[in-house]
Amino acid sequence: MIKVSDQAKSKVAQLMTEEGFNPETDYIRVGVKSGGCSGLEYVLKFDNVKNETDQVFEDNGLKVIVEKKSILYLAGTTLEYSGGLNGKGFVFNNPNAARTCGCGESFSL
């Protein structure tokens, strides 16, 4: 469902620890919401609570939560991290996106 690249895993684990979360037991919450310049934008945050409407996926040693209403939009997506001078931070490589904005933070189907 949702893949996590090695670079993203390293950065997620670092940020989770800094924010008081445990990368081995807590979750990365990924979803979509209306907004952005292309119609839908990605949501990424850390969480330690799983809701009834959440589905949990595990990849690369991390647990990823996706709310059921976001699953169709995110199927096959890879969470990547690009650092450095020209890096964008976290990037969603989404095969379902027909169009993305220049910053890569929003998309449409």
Side-chain angles (χ1 to χ4, degrees):
M1 171 56 195
I2 302 274
K3 300 277 186 197
V4 180
S5 72
D6 291 336
Q7 296 88 352
K9 176 189 176 181
S10 296
K11 191 62 175 182
V12 163
Q14 174 194 343
L15 292 173
M16 287 181 89
T17 301
E18 288 174 5
E19 293 186 24
F21 291 92
N22 182 341
E24 294 179 14
T25 59
D26 293 330
Y27 308 100
I28 308 165
R29 182 174 290 281
V30 179
V32 297
K33 67 178 184 177
S34 295
C37 49
S38 292
L40 295 169
E41 64 184 332
Y42 297 106
V43 176
L44 173 74
K45 64 182 182 176
F46 306 131
D47 206 338
N48 55 12
V49 176
K50 178 187 172 294
N51 300 319
E52 285 184 28
T53 59
D54 292 335
Q55 189 162 352
V56 178
F57 301 94
E58 198 162 336
D59 187 61
N60 211 353
L62 295 172
K63 294 176 180 72
V64 180
I65 286 182
V66 180
E67 190 174 26
K68 286 183 182 177
K69 68 179 183 177
S70 295
I71 289 174
L72 291 175
Y73 299 111
L74 296 172
T77 296
T78 301
L79 177 63
E80 299 180 11
Y81 182 80
S82 176
L85 294 175
N86 295 323
K88 295 181 177 181
F90 288 104
V91 176
F92 291 87
N93 188 349
N94 187 343
N96 304 305
R99 185 172 54 111
T100 60
C101 66
C103 65
E105 293 180 10
S106 68
F107 69 102
S108 65
L109 299 178

